[in-house]
Amino acid sequence: MRVLLVEDDEPVAQSLRRGLIRYGFEVEWVSTGAAALGHQGPYDVVLLDLGLPDTDGLDVCKVLRERGDVPIIVISARSDETDRVVGLELGADDYVTKPFGVREVIARIRAVMRRARPRTESAAAGPDTYGSRLTIDRKAARVRLDGEEVPLAPKEYDLLAFLTEEPGALMSREQIMEAVWDANWFGPTKTLDVHVAALRRKLAGAVVIEAVRGVGFRLEIAKDAGAS
């Protein structure tokens, strides 16, 4: 997924850029409103700071929205409700207040992309289906196996929701800990193994969570669970 990052604060931009790249995003960074409006390359979502050196980010948001329907997420130190309302009324799809973590930004990106993605009637009907046995209702934060709800601890659910964003993708421990726990987590990563073991036990036969030594984990839909 291609991201246009419009941010004049270099430390903030570089930190966010590195975090997004670790999760597989392609990031183009510009530091002014003029550069954002003059950017020719294709992109799937815009992360837009409001405090730009050459123009107000709200004006940039308005022009970008007039040009098309690419999702726009405002990232700003302005926490005033008026700025939030104006930004959303000008066409922003979401508004994130600084300081923020990479985990939150990625969650917002995925949320706006799901809303923007054309949905079939069956997809709009409800939960995401993985194979013939497992469904995840992300709106209600509920998981069902063979039609029966599976009781999951909050972090077990968060871990499953994250790993099923991209079945088959290898996720490093660092990526998982940052996304499911916190970018500033300093506790033992053994807690990740405990939660993985719990998911394996509770969802046996529906998913396979493979441990890749020295790297992380990969979730696959079990072959006998049918096609996803």
Side-chain angles (χ1 to χ4, degrees):
M1 187 181 299
R2 298 158 299 187
V3 177
L4 176 61
L5 173 59
V6 188
E7 169 64 68
D8 70 317
D9 187 322
E10 183 171 355
V12 171
Q14 292 290 14
S15 176
L16 183 53
R17 181 173 178 273
R18 285 193 300 269
L20 291 172
I21 289 174
R22 282 203 305 272
Y23 283 89
F25 292 87
E26 298 176 24
V27 183
E28 288 288 335
W29 169 43
V30 297
S31 58
T32 67
L37 296 177
H39 193 277
Q40 298 299 314
Y43 44 82
D44 301 300
V45 63
V46 179
L47 299 180
L48 174 64
D49 182 27
L50 296 186
L52 300 173
D54 59 336
T55 186
D56 192 311
L58 290 173
D59 294 328
V60 177
C61 178
K62 181 179 180 181
V63 174
L64 289 176
R65 177 53 64 233
E66 290 172 348
R67 290 182 179 179
D69 57 1
V70 173
I72 301 170
I73 300 176
V74 168
I75 51 174
S76 177
R78 303 180 190 175
S79 58
D80 186 78
E81 183 180 2
T82 301
D83 287 308
R84 286 174 173 268
V85 171
V86 172
L88 295 171
E89 287 183 344
L90 288 176
D93 296 88
D94 206 344
Y95 195 112
V96 184
T97 303
K98 297 178 181 178
F100 50 75
V102 173
R103 172 190 173 189
E104 178 181 4
V105 175
I106 290 174
R108 300 295 186 99
I109 290 175
R110 287 174 171 161
V112 299
M113 293 306 294
R114 281 195 293 269
R115 293 198 297 267
R117 187 182 303 132
R119 300 175 65 87
T120 62
E121 289 184 8
S122 59
D128 297 319
T129 301
Y130 300 91
S132 60
R133 302 184 60 193
L134 178 67
T135 60
I136 301 177
D137 186 340
R138 285 178 162 80
K139 288 185 177 180
R142 289 181 173 176
V143 175
R144 287 183 170 81
L145 181 64
D146 298 329
E148 297 294 326
E149 185 168 351
V150 180
L152 297 180
K155 288 302 181 186
E156 290 171 0
Y157 172 80
D158 290 344
L159 176 59
L160 179 65
F162 177 70
L163 292 176
T164 51
E165 285 281 355
E166 296 182 70
L170 175 59
M171 299 296 183
S172 71
R173 283 178 173 271
E174 179 185 28
Q175 286 177 312
I176 297 171
M177 294 303 295
E178 184 173 306
V180 178
W181 276 265
D182 188 86
N184 298 314
W185 172 267
F186 293 109
T189 60
K190 184 66 175 176
T191 188
L192 172 55
D193 299 274
V194 172
H195 283 74
V196 166
L199 288 181
R200 285 172 173 159
R201 182 179 68 255
K202 294 179 179 181
L203 301 176
V207 299
V208 175
I209 304 178
E210 175 190 0
V212 179
R213 186 178 179 85
V215 183
F217 295 92
R218 177 189 291 114
L219 180 144
E220 300 274 7
I221 307 304
K223 292 182 180 180
D224 62 352
S228 59

